[in-house]
């Protein structure tokens, strides 16, 4: 304790984390008049000066390819990735969980896919529909106004297609489909699979003072113009403009401090630069460090009033961890080969996607799994990278020199890939806990993961593999890469899709949940959570939009409760 520094300031709110939930908390609370301190474990990030947007792959070492267990490519706007130096985590025997962390201001909002899908009415009451998983303590109608406000503020494109359990929103116009997307859409029409405009947090026209997308297809590098959603470009600037937000970077939170009454008094963190412990004080603490980091922080915050960790009298913290179900298939579409050169860059993601279409079959028990998936797909004449034309030898049989180059150009743009993004049902075998024998560089005990897919997820992956093959063949194409039963239908590793949620779920009963319906800790009324930890289920819709909307709702509630002097 010799290196302990205590700050005498008392903030209205301390926010841990600067990603989607933390950024929204800062925006809403500062607009309500609160003086806030934000703690971020990574360094400052400014896309306008630090993004590698516009750089060519051939200018990067190894054409942008990177070593395994780091990032997806060398230009990705992320710091850390699958492994963070000095910050390990462990897996229990038989578990192969992957945890992606991005140590920078804005966190993973700098590099996410911008897919912004609302959860539907069914998704809030899954147990009531099929007897599996858990129901949320709120309904779609409770969150719908916050979906509206979030979409209108950050900017999301899409269309009103009246698809079952895929609610439409407040959308900007969608971009036109690319050539290969139209080919796939025609095949889907023959198979009665809906293929509609995507819903992405990318601006297709100037919106709220931010310029429209220039269609360079590099969203993962973080747009320096602010044309897609990130916390540092959309939520933090108006919060900072109020002069009521202070951001401290390089701050590794280790525990939430509490007083004799069991209420939160602030946060203790390690200053990475000085390696000293610092304590800051706040009237309210908002955790938004990511689902797993928040669970770690709660479990490490032990005291006489909270011997099993803060907010964990139910034993739920860390439990029922979920991720999205993923599996992939690649193919070759002859209809796309040897075409005239054309620009199909567009936004940094798909212009069309396929929402789940078999809810009624599942109600009639005609499928061997209980939940659904949506389909994401890609292809076209994108910027060549290390893996472009990786199946060329299959169709050309090799070659050399100018003739080989001419033949390869005929195939450029004819590849297509499909990805399943499906719902995982929470199960008791998937959770994280504190590893009692391992600490990180900062002396903070790390997480140990446990993971096991159920038959529902494995059979979903099988259905997706078979569906993708059917789409490719209906389009006149050929499958180039797939997975069968011997590879568990190519199902992703736990954590691999980077949609982990559910480690401190909200509920109606303090005996079976960590938080109430406003993401407020049952055991500590001035502690709130605004990241993915409160989510009760993990539907087939990417979770970021729901984290943002739920955070907005939670922070409005905080402001109201403070006015009423309830906290």
């Amino acid at each position: 304790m010799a290196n302990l520094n205590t700050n005498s300031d008392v903030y209205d709110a301390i926010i841990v984390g600067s990603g989607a939930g933390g950024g929204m908390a800062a925006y809403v609370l500062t607009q309500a008049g609160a003086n806030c301190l934000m703690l971020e474990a990574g360094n400052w990030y400014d896309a306008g000066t630090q993004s590698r947007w516009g750089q060519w792959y051939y200018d990067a070492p190894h054409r942008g390819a990177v070593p395994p267990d780091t990032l997806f490519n060398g230009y990705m706007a992320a710091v850390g990735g699958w492994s963070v130096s000095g910050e390990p985590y462990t897996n229990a025997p038989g578990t192969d969980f992957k945890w992606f962390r991005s140590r920078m201001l804005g966190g993973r909002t700098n590099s996410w896919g911008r897919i912004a899908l609302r959860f539907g009415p069914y998704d809030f009451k899954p147990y009531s529909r099929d007897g599996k998983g858990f129901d949320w303590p709120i309904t779609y109608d409770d969150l719908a106004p916050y979906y509206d406000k979030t979409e209108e503020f950050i900017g999301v494109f899409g269309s009103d297609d009246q698809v079952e359990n895929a609610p439409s929103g407040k959308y900007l116009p969608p971009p036109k489909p690319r050539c290969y997307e139209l080919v796939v859409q025609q095949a889907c029409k023959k198979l009665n699979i809906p293929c509609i405009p995507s819903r992405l947090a990318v601006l297709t026209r100037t919106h709220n003072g931010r310029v429209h997308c220039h269609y360079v297809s590099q969203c993962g590098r973080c747009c320096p113009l602010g044309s897609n959603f990130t916390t540092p470009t959309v939520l933090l600037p108006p919060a900072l403009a109020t002069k009521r937000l202070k951001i401290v970077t390089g701050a590794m939170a280790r525990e939430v401090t509490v007083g004799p009454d069991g209420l939160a008094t602030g946060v203790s963190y390690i200053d990475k630069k000085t390696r000293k412990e610092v304590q800051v004080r706040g009237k309210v603490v908002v955790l938004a460090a990511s689902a797993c980091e928040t669970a770690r922080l709660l479990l490490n915050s032990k005291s006489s009033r909270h011997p099993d960790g803060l907010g964990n009298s139910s034993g739920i913290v860390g439990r029922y961890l979920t991720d999205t179900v993923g599996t992939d298939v690649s193919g070759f579409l002859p209809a796309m080969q040897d075409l005239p050169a054309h620009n199909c860059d567009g936004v940094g993601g798909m212009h069309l996607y396929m929402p789940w279409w078999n809810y009624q079959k599942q109600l009639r028990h005609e499928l061997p799994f209980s939940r659904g998936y949506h389909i994401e797909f890609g292809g076209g004449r994108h910027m060549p990278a290390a893996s472009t034309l990786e199946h060329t030898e299959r169709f050309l049989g090799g070659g050399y020199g100018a003739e080989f180059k001419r033949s390869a150009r005929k195939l450029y743009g004819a590849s297509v890939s499909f990805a399943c993004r499906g719902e995982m049902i929470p199960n008791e075998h998937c959770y994280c806990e504190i590893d009692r024998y391992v600490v990180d560089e900062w002396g903070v005990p790390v997480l140990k993961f446990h993971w096991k897919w159920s038959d529902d997820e494995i059979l979903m992956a099988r259905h997706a593999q078979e569906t993708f093959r059917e789409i490719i063949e209906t389009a006149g194409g050929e499958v180039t890469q797939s997975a069968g039963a011997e590879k568990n239908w190519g199902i992703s590793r736990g954590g691999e899709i980077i949609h982990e949620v559910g480690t401190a779920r909200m509920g109606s009963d303090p005996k079976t949940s960590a938080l109430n319906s406003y993401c407020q800790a049952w055991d500590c009324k001035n502690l709130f959570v605004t990241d993915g930890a409160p989510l009760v289920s993990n539907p087939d819709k990417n979770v970021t939009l729901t984290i943002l909307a739920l955070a907005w709702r939670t922070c409005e509630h905080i402001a109201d409760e403070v006015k009423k002097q309830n906290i």
Side-chain angles (χ1 to χ4, degrees), residues 42-43 52 66-73 76-87 89 99-104 107-108 111 272 498:
N43 292 325
R52 287 185 278 184
V66 293
D69 295 325
T70 54
L71 304 175
F72 291 98
N73 63 68
M76 186 179 183
V79 177
W82 298 115
S83 64
V84 177
S85 177
E87 299 181 32
Y89 59 90
W99 187 17
F100 191 99
R101 292 163 291 171
S102 190
R103 293 290 191 238
M104 62 196 301
R108 300 188 306 203
S111 58
K272 289 184 173 181
I498 321 179

Side-chain angles (χ1 to χ4, degrees), residues 339-363:
L339 292 181
H342 61 281
N343 187 332
C344 64
D345 283 347
V347 305
M350 68 268 187
H351 290 187
L352 300 175
Y353 89 113
M354 300 76 138
W356 182 237
W357 64 100
N358 280 321
Y359 288 107
Q360 297 308 310
K361 280 189 175 182
Q362 287 175 320
L363 277 182

Side-chain angles (χ1 to χ4, degrees), residues 318-373:
R319 301 283 161 172
Y320 299 105
L321 171 65
T322 61
D323 187 29
T324 292
V325 180
T327 190
D328 306 322
V329 171
S330 299
F332 174 74
L333 301 178
M336 295 300 301
Q337 69 176 336
D338 205 17
L339 292 181
H342 61 281
N343 187 332
C344 64
D345 283 347
V347 305
M350 68 268 187
H351 290 187
L352 300 175
Y353 89 113
M354 300 76 138
W356 182 237
W357 64 100
N358 280 321
Y359 288 107
Q360 297 308 310
K361 280 189 175 182
Q362 287 175 320
L363 277 182
R364 298 192 297 268
H365 304 290
E366 295 175 5
L367 293 177
F369 56 97
S370 299
R371 304 291 167 79
Y373 60 89

Side-chain angles (χ1 to χ4, degrees), residues 205-229:
R205 65 185 181 200
T206 298
H207 181 75
N208 288 344
R210 293 157 51 215
V211 299
H212 60 80
C213 177
H214 286 60
Y215 297 147
V216 294
S217 284
Q218 295 176 16
C219 289
R221 302 185 186 191
C222 196
C223 179
L225 305 177
S227 300
N228 57 25
F229 171 77

Side-chain angles (χ1 to χ4, degrees), residues 60-366:
H62 311 293
R63 296 294 191 266
V66 293
D69 295 325
T70 54
L71 304 175
F72 291 98
N73 63 68
Y75 286 146
M76 186 179 183
V79 177
W82 298 115
S83 64
V84 177
S85 177
E87 299 181 32
Y89 59 90
T90 65
N91 280 320
T95 289
D96 189 19
F97 188 87
K98 299 181 68 177
W99 187 17
F100 191 99
R101 292 163 291 171
S102 190
R103 293 290 191 238
M104 62 196 301
L105 187 71
R108 300 188 306 203
T109 68
N110 294 301
S111 58
W112 70 302
R114 275 77 187 183
I115 299 169
L117 305 175
R118 295 185 178 206
F119 289 8
Y122 302 167
D123 301 322
F124 289 90
K125 302 297 176 183
Y127 179 81
S128 296
R129 282 180 59 80
D130 60 26
K132 296 182 179 181
F134 309 96
D135 285 345
W136 291 55
I138 61 174
T139 66
Y140 172 76
D141 290 339
D142 292 323
L143 201 55
Y146 297 93
Y147 279 134
D148 288 350
K149 291 197 287 188
T150 300
E151 290 163 346
E152 289 176 325
F153 184 66
I154 71 172
V156 177
F157 72 70
S159 59
D160 184 2
D161 293 282
Q162 300 297 311
V163 176
E164 184 178 12
N165 200 43
S168 298
K170 303 291 185 178
Y171 293 142
L172 301 173
K176 293 181 179 180
R178 304 170 174 100
C179 293
Y180 76 90
E181 291 173 320
L182 292 171
V183 172
V184 171
Q185 187 180 51
Q186 291 171 356
C188 287
K189 186 175 182 180
K190 295 177 182 178
L191 297 170
N192 293 317
I193 297 174
C195 185
I196 65 174
S198 300
R199 297 159 180 186
L200 269 65
V202 180
L203 304 186
T204 52
R205 65 185 181 200
T206 298
H207 181 75
N208 288 344
R210 293 157 51 215
V211 299
H212 60 80
C213 177
H214 286 60
Y215 297 147
V216 294
S217 284
Q218 295 176 16
C219 289
R221 302 185 186 191
C222 196
C223 179
L225 305 177
S227 300
N228 57 25
F229 171 77
T230 73
T231 289
T233 55
V234 180
L235 294 175
L236 296 185
L240 288 167
T242 67
K243 308 297 184 182
R244 291 189 285 268
L245 175 64
K246 179 181 178 181
I247 301 175
V248 177
T249 57
M252 187 68 189
R254 64 173 301 140
E255 69 173 310
V256 178
T257 57
V258 298
D261 57 2
L263 295 180
T265 59
V267 175
S268 174
Y269 71 88
I270 306 300
D271 183 323
K272 289 184 173 181
K273 186 174 293 185
T274 65
R275 307 186 77 86
K276 292 181 179 180
E277 183 176 354
V278 180
Q279 287 188 358
V280 288
R281 297 189 294 165
K283 300 173 185 177
V284 171
V285 173
V286 179
L287 301 184
S290 82
C292 297
E293 267 317 345
T294 286
R296 178 191 184 196
L297 191 52
L298 290 172
L299 292 171
N300 277 326
S301 300
K302 294 184 178 182
S303 66
S304 58
R305 291 291 297 265
H306 305 285
D308 297 319
L310 185 56
N312 194 32
S313 64
S314 62
I316 286 294
V317 174
R319 301 283 161 172
Y320 299 105
L321 171 65
T322 61
D323 187 29
T324 292
V325 180
T327 190
D328 306 322
V329 171
S330 299
F332 174 74
L333 301 178
M336 295 300 301
Q337 69 176 336
D338 205 17
L339 292 181
H342 61 281
N343 187 332
C344 64
D345 283 347
V347 305
M350 68 268 187
H351 290 187
L352 300 175
Y353 89 113
M354 300 76 138
W356 182 237
W357 64 100
N358 280 321
Y359 288 107
Q360 297 308 310
K361 280 189 175 182
Q362 287 175 320
L363 277 182
R364 298 192 297 268
H365 304 290
E366 295 175 5

